[in-house]
Amino acid sequence: MQFEKTPGWLDWYAGPSKPRFTLPAGAVDAHCHVFGPGAEFPYAPERKYTPCDASKAQLFALRDHLGFARNVVVQATCHGADNRAMVDACKASNGKARGVATVRRSITDQELQDLHAAGVRGVRFNFVKRLVDFTPKDELLEIANRIAPLGWHVVIYFEAVDLPELWDFFTALPTTVVVDHMGRPDVSKPIDGPEFELFVKFMRENPNVWSKVSCPERLSVTGPKALDGEQHAYRDVVPFARRIVEQFPDRVLWGTDWPHPNLKDHMPDDGLLVDFIPHIAPTAELQRKLLVDNPMRLYWPEEC
């Protein structure tokens, strides 16, 4: 099938720089995606956007270029609940990739077992209204209860303003819960203001809740952008991410978010995104937890 990209779509950054920051041995890019290729893995009819292709081979080449050892491939919303592209990437990785799937209530136990065998270790629930259609919470809770015996976790994606209404549902989940991108805080608001304090309280009161401190390029209001060799990119995001890393060092993850779906303003240089890491995890110990120990515990526990 031929797919036409959404008008104005920004393709991923070709020829990223080599990071100045040397990642610790065994570092995991714990949030990235594959798109298609559409000719092999068609995009879902219900998708809200049509991306450029971003293949497993291109993802693995970026992994090696940046200095990561492993990837966690998160199901992209443009593929709906058809996990074939993500599963194909996991299977082709020689054990260097794990996956996070999107599933429906209708999935069979055998299909869950097949996903587990392929390397899937979690499911993603998306509450960002512009990206997905609404799924009833009783269906999501049923899925969470079915994946819990497999040792999987639930990844949740939501906007900061929606945390109060979702709080009771999130705290009822029976698994480890991983929040994408710190719950998308508005970084133009005070770091000690009520919105971000509520997120910190959410993590503090619920020891099963983890957070990805990723995607500063999505959250930043004032930049500067990770382009043209900028070594201090997205300064307005740093205090928020650093606070979460320092307060919850054993429950944080980081990922590139390559190939950066739905960015409107600019496409970051992934090498410079890696150079963002020491600004939010300033010590070697924090860097090792963020990039190696925590993702290994969650996705490769049999090796820990």
Side-chain angles (χ1 to χ4, degrees):
M1 289 179 72
Q2 289 295 311
F3 290 93
E4 193 132 330
K5 285 188 294 191
T6 297
W9 183 268
L10 296 181
D11 290 359
W12 42 273
Y13 191 96
S17 60
K18 196 81 174 166
R20 293 191 194 176
F21 172 61
T22 302
L23 292 163
V28 180
D29 177 354
H31 188 96
C32 52
H33 310 280
V34 287
F35 298 153
E40 188 178 358
F41 302 108
Y43 300 113
E46 73 273 18
R47 68 190 180 279
K48 304 285 189 187
Y49 63 89
T50 304
C52 63
D53 286 340
S55 71
K56 61 181 185 282
Q58 291 163 325
L59 174 63
F60 298 157
L62 180 74
R63 172 199 69 200
D64 295 344
H65 173 76
L66 298 177
F68 286 99
R70 307 181 193 224
N71 298 99
V72 179
V73 186
V74 177
Q75 175 73 351
T77 57
C78 59
H79 281 292
D82 178 353
N83 294 287
R84 286 178 297 168
M86 177 272 294
V87 163
D88 177 68
C90 290
K91 286 182 171 178
S93 73
N94 295 317
K96 292 181 180 177
R98 292 284 189 249
V100 173
T102 297
V103 303
R104 304 274 181 258
R105 171 183 262 161
S106 56
I107 195 167
T108 66
D109 289 342
Q110 184 58 54
E111 287 168 330
L112 286 174
Q113 289 290 347
D114 291 345
L115 287 173
H116 188 83
V120 171
R121 295 296 180 267
V123 296
R124 192 186 201 200
F125 296 164
N126 193 323
F127 299 90
V128 180
K129 299 174 181 74
R130 63 192 154 73
L131 292 176
V132 290
D133 295 322
F134 175 76
T135 304
K137 292 192 181 68
D138 65 322
E139 177 173 344
L140 297 176
L141 197 55
E142 181 183 313
I143 291 167
N145 281 304
R146 288 181 63 198
I147 61 138
L150 293 167
W152 292 12
H153 58 277
V154 172
V155 175
I156 51 176
Y157 191 27
F158 62 92
E159 315 257 33
V161 293
D162 296 324
L163 180 55
E165 66 172 279
L166 292 166
W167 181 288
D168 288 346
F169 172 71
F170 290 161
T171 54
L173 291 169
T175 63
T176 294
V177 175
V178 179
V179 179
D180 276 342
H181 323 322
M182 300 185 287
R184 292 189 63 100
D186 180 345
V187 299
S188 68
K189 293 181 178 177
I191 190 170
D192 57 355
E195 193 175 89
F196 199 61
E197 284 295 342
L198 186 68
F199 180 68
V200 173
K201 179 185 178 190
F202 178 53
M203 290 198 69
R204 188 174 62 242
E205 292 186 358
N206 297 281
N208 63 316
V209 174
W210 296 39
S211 181
K212 295 174 191 168
V213 287
S214 42
C215 286
E217 71 281 7
R218 288 186 190 282
L219 303 174
S220 182
V221 178
T222 57
K225 301 167 184 175
L227 292 169
D228 305 316
E230 177 58 61
Q231 284 296 303
H232 299 278
Y234 312 123
R235 268 169 252 180
D236 53 347
V237 182
V238 168
F240 291 82
R242 185 165 171 168
R243 181 175 176 193
I244 297 301
V245 169
E246 292 184 336
Q247 200 160 339
F248 308 104
D250 298 312
R251 291 189 272 144
V252 284
L253 303 166
W254 191 89
T256 57
D257 194 38
W258 188 89
H260 311 285
N262 292 299
L263 288 183
K264 304 289 188 251
D265 178 67
H266 71 288
M267 184 55 63
D269 175 340
D270 294 284
L272 296 175
L273 276 184
V274 170
D275 288 336
F276 174 81
I277 295 169
H279 295 288
I280 64 169
T283 69
E285 183 186 13
L286 288 172
Q287 291 159 10
R288 176 156 192 88
K289 288 182 177 217
L290 176 66
L291 297 164
V292 184
D293 297 347
N294 297 346
M296 288 300 292
R297 204 163 78 245
L298 197 59
Y299 290 100
W300 285 270
E302 68 281 0
E303 294 187 32
C304 293

